[in-house]
Every structure is written in structure tokens, then in C-alpha cells.
Amino acid sequence: MTRANYQQINGIALAYIGDAVWEVFVREHLLELGLTKPNKLQHTATHYVSAKAQAFLISQMEEQEYLTEEEWTFFKKGRNAKSHTSAKNTAVMTYRISTGFEALFGYLYTSEQDARLAELAHWCIDTIEAQPAMKKPRSR
């Protein structure tokens, strides 16, 4: 499979692939920590992949001026996209911001910016783990 022309992909489609890409980074990280039980893996993953966690990460990226202008453009493309699904257990704006977060990952993946994608994913994981309010996973 070849990656699509990222310029022509709508924000929701970028978020669709970006969600999967981010999930893979998180799952690999949790396995590297030594987590092996499915329930523990799933529970711990939500600290990274929830809409609230993703919105928090975007706020940190903005505060630290971590993204390029082009990256912000693709975040906004996802955030502002008309979605036919509704937020589950979260505020609409939080859901839209998380869609933008996922679109950003989708953009980096489809534009084949693999080094930047990995850098951003690891930065996000480190940022979440540095938060005292976030429960840190324990092995096994």
C-alpha cells in the first residue's frame, strides 16, 4: 500500500488513520513497560488515547510552541471538520480538539514524515507520564 496524497484527504479521514497510528505508538510503549494483561493494557491505554488526554497534549504543544505552522494547519483541519459522530462522555470541544490531534498524526503519517511522527509520539508519551495527575502504569 502506498500512502495517499495527504493534501487531498479530509480532516476526518486524517483523524481516522491518525487515531490508529497513535494507538500503535501507545500499545508498543505499554508492551515495552512490561504490561501483558489485556485488561491492564486497555485500562492504561485510555490514559494516553482518551479525548481528554489528547486535548491536554494539544494544550501543551501550544504552550510550548512545539508544532510548526503546517502541523497547526492540519490540526485545525481535523478540529474544524464536520463529523457525523458525537462526543462520548466528553465535551464537544474536547472531542473536536482530539479529532484535530488525530488528524495531526494522520497528516504526519500520510506525508511520510516518519521521524517527526516518532518524535511527536514520544514527546506525547513523555508529557503524559510527567503529569502527576496521570496514573503511571506498573509492569504486569
Side-chain angles (χ1 to χ4, degrees):
M1 175 184 132
T2 59
R3 297 187 194 170
N5 182 345
Y6 66 93
Q7 300 264 354
Q8 296 177 9
I9 301 174
N10 69 49
I12 298 298
L14 285 172
Y16 174 76
I17 193 69
D19 177 48
V21 171
W22 171 234
E23 181 89 23
V24 169
F25 276 101
V26 169
R27 288 179 180 205
E28 286 178 346
H29 173 70
L30 297 179
L31 291 174
E32 288 170 2
L33 290 177
L35 297 174
T36 58
K37 295 180 181 175
N39 283 346
K40 184 68 173 172
L41 285 165
Q42 186 61 33
H43 176 74
T44 305
T46 61
H47 295 291
Y48 299 84
V49 300
S50 71
K52 290 177 184 176
Q54 292 172 349
F56 166 75
L57 288 167
I58 288 294
S59 72
Q60 294 301 297
M61 290 174 201
E62 185 173 29
E63 186 178 299
Q64 296 181 26
E65 299 180 3
Y66 193 73
L67 299 180
T68 66
E69 254 186 73
E70 186 171 25
E71 290 167 344
W72 277 117
T73 297
F74 281 91
F75 159 76
K76 290 174 185 175
K77 186 175 184 176
R79 182 197 63 195
N80 297 337
K82 300 263 190 256
S83 176
H84 298 289
T85 60
S86 59
K88 299 173 195 98
N89 303 317
T90 190
V92 172
M93 195 53 172
T94 301
Y95 181 77
R96 292 182 70 184
I97 291 169
S98 73
T99 301
F101 174 92
E102 293 165 350
L104 169 62
F105 272 76
Y107 153 68
L108 291 171
Y109 175 78
T110 58
S111 63
E112 300 182 347
Q113 296 183 55
D114 297 333
R116 177 63 174 157
L117 177 62
E119 175 190 337
L120 182 62
H122 291 106
W123 181 90
C124 288
I125 288 167
D126 291 345
T127 299
I128 287 174
E129 291 191 343
Q131 293 307 301
M134 301 277 182
K135 292 181 181 176
K136 293 189 179 158
R138 294 191 182 132
S139 53
R140 292 179 250 288

